[in-house]
Amino acid sequence: MVESSPEVQHGLQDVVALESRICFIDGHQGRLIYDGYDIRDLASKSNFEEVAYLLWYGRLPTGDQLAALRARLVELRQLPAAMAERIDSMPATATPMDVLRTAVSELALFEPEETRPGPSSIGGAQRLTAVLPSILGQFHRRRAGLPPLTTRPDLSHASYLLYALLNRDPSELEGRALDVALILHADHELNASTFAARVTASTLSDLYSAVTSAVGTLKGPLHGGANERVMELLDEIGTPERAEEVVKSKLARHERIMGFGHRVYKVEDPRATILREWSRRIGESKGDLHYYELLRKVEEVVHREKGLYPNVDLYSGSVYTFMGIPHDLFTPVFAASRVAGWTAHVLEEYQDLRLIRPTAKYIGPTDLPYVPIAGRN
Ligand code: ACO
């Protein structure tokens, strides 16, 4: 048995792996910054396309630059016909995240010139961001029996995403709520999926491989899948009076309450603060504050019992549910936003490339005598 000297940082907690200009999280003050701008300003004054530009280029766009990016993203929404056929051939019972991961990987077959690592990957970044709603719409519409997708040049990224999924235009309030949700999810420093994308890019692999790694990583319930589980919890609780009993019994069984806790935030996640307000606004507009009131009660119990604060996933599910987005599309909606951050990080990785390769502390034996196969039991 050997015990190498370095201390293990389990889960790489508190390990500073690289320098980045893209995103800063102040976990003690509850602040989130994209390229110098506070998320609260971006969420109240900006739109998703502006934020994507900010993440890719490191500065907010002028009016002309934003108009050019919007036009480009609209142009890039169109799926190659063979790709659309390929999605149509996937089982209708597949999970949308499996479809997304497979489609992102296969899309590279149709655009080899954009897959090469390097600054030219910005074209691929825009392509992937523009086309993700189309992949999801192509799949979901078929399984839900909705009419075929058109690219709707008149719609913003957020509104097109909702149209692609539900075959209807959002109301002004819904459109803005989804735009804000996409802004809030667009980046979050070295979260697990972004780290996975950067590890892949650090081998000089291509953008599509990096985003495929990221989609697979986002799929896990401890990362992207939590808001779906929050809605399951709310349905299990039913009424605010039952929240105390259900949450306490889960905690007594050492179960995690989804939508709470965070590796970096030691106070409330600022994205949860903003989405709580949107959950209330959307609920009020529908004349139904059921989910909002349940969530407030769950929050109170979890904070009292465990001292945990809500994260971005606590309120987002209620906002999406009111729009009619099916629960298994919540994580894909997250991906349709985070793709801007993933690709910005991959571009940054290409500019400042160093193979990401940590080491492990070996805890096994080193001097076992070799046993020929016939002598093993
Ligand atoms: N419910 C109950 N207990 C919790 C929760 C929770 N949501 N989160 C943390 N804890 C407890 C753990 O059980 C542990 O308790 P212990 O020390 O008594 O064993 C302690 O808090 C520390 O937990 P860790 O898992 O070590 O903390 P970590 O920083 O690794 O966890 C994580 C972060 C994975 C997000 C965790 O809080 C969690 O599982 N939350 C629920 C899932 C979730 O909401 N994920 C979305 C995160 S945001 C995003 O990815 C977009």
Side-chain angles (χ1 to χ4, degrees):
M1 178 86 75
V2 287
E3 291 251 343
S4 45
S5 49
E7 272 310 301
V8 177
Q9 301 297 324
H10 290 282
L12 297 184
Q13 181 156 6
D14 298 329
V15 171
V16 181
L18 47 88
E19 290 182 338
S20 175
R21 60 140 186 93
I22 299 171
C23 183
F24 171 60
I25 304 169
D26 183 337
H28 294 282
Q29 302 290 325
R31 288 189 76 206
L32 171 59
I33 309 288
Y34 294 168
D35 275 293
Y37 296 95
D38 194 298
I39 196 68
R40 287 170 291 209
D41 285 333
L42 295 170
S44 60
K45 298 172 188 148
S46 202
N47 55 59
F48 175 77
E49 289 86 337
E50 261 186 291
V51 167
Y53 188 103
L54 175 67
L55 296 172
W56 290 328
Y57 295 98
R59 59 180 190 279
L60 283 169
T62 63
D64 286 350
Q65 287 165 338
L66 180 60
L69 178 65
R70 281 200 155 133
R72 183 79 186 124
L73 292 177
V74 164
E75 216 176 282
L76 292 170
R77 276 177 192 166
Q78 186 70 52
L79 278 170
M83 190 70 230
E85 277 171 31
R86 174 73 185 107
I87 294 170
D88 285 346
S89 75
M90 292 178 186
T93 50
T95 66
M97 282 303 275
D98 286 340
V99 170
L100 188 62
R101 191 193 55 238
T102 306
V104 166
S105 176
E106 291 200 10
L107 204 57
L109 307 179
F110 299 94
E111 284 150 329
E113 80 285 358
E114 283 178 347
T115 69
R116 284 191 293 274
S120 64
S121 293
I122 187 83
Q126 294 175 356
R127 170 59 157 160
L128 277 167
T129 303
V131 88
L132 248 63
S134 307
I135 293 172
L136 298 171
Q138 185 74 27
F139 174 70
H140 177 66
R141 281 167 171 260
R142 183 176 55 96
R143 72 173 184 171
L146 296 171
L149 186 63
T150 57
T151 57
R152 291 294 305 268
D154 56 315
L155 296 180
S156 69
H157 186 79
S159 297
Y160 175 62
L161 176 60
L162 199 83
Y163 159 76
L165 296 179
L166 303 181
N167 194 42
R168 70 173 178 86
D169 292 3
S171 68
E172 208 179 316
L173 190 75
E174 288 175 327
R176 184 60 193 146
L178 194 60
D179 204 22
V180 169
L182 297 186
I183 291 170
L184 298 178
H185 286 85
D187 197 52
H188 213 228
E189 202 225 41
L190 281 195
N191 59 90
S193 56
T194 302
F195 188 59
R198 286 193 80 133
V199 170
T200 304
S202 83
T203 69
L204 260 184
S205 186
D206 65 274
L207 183 74
Y208 287 66
S209 298
V211 173
T212 304
S213 300
V215 175
T217 308
L218 183 69
K219 189 183 170 195
L222 294 188
H223 187 7
N227 53 3
E228 213 176 314
R229 310 288 167 98
V230 170
M231 297 314 291
E232 284 166 15
L233 173 69
L234 297 190
D235 289 340
E236 184 187 339
I237 293 174
T239 59
E241 302 73 55
R242 275 183 32 84
E244 180 108 19
E245 176 201 332
V246 174
V247 171
K248 275 185 169 174
S249 68
K250 283 184 182 298
L251 290 175
R253 292 195 300 272
H254 302 287
E255 283 179 34
R256 284 178 186 234
I257 310 297
M258 294 292 144
F260 289 91
H262 201 275
R263 176 64 65 80
V264 185
Y265 292 113
K266 306 301 171 210
V267 294
E268 183 164 291
D269 179 338
R271 302 168 301 172
T273 316
I274 297 168
L275 282 171
R276 182 191 289 118
E277 184 55 16
W278 276 100
S279 173
R280 188 189 61 73
R281 282 179 72 176
I282 291 274
E284 265 174 11
S285 77
K286 307 272 179 190
D288 182 356
L289 286 172
H290 171 69
Y291 284 135
Y292 175 76
E293 281 162 6
L294 266 183
L295 285 165
R296 293 296 286 163
K297 186 66 195 168
V298 171
E299 243 194 275
E300 182 203 313
V301 179
V302 173
H303 191 256
R304 178 174 9 102
E305 297 297 316
K306 290 286 286 185
L308 289 167
Y309 292 97
N311 61 48
V312 69
D313 277 313
L314 188 67
Y315 283 94
S316 58
S318 61
V319 173
Y320 301 154
T321 299
F322 273 129
M323 291 178 190
I325 299 176
H327 292 183
D328 67 353
L329 288 167
F330 290 178
T331 313
V333 166
F334 186 163
S337 159
R338 184 59 58 86
V339 65
W342 290 333
T343 51
H345 278 270
V346 169
L347 293 168
E348 187 176 61
E349 189 63 40
Y350 288 152
Q351 276 171 13
D352 192 15
L353 196 102
R354 175 124 173 100
L355 179 72
I356 299 174
R357 200 286 189 204
T359 51
K361 177 175 177 173
Y362 181 65
I363 54 165
T366 56
D367 48 8
L368 296 181
Y370 183 78
V371 182
I373 195 158
R376 294 175 205 159
N377 50 35

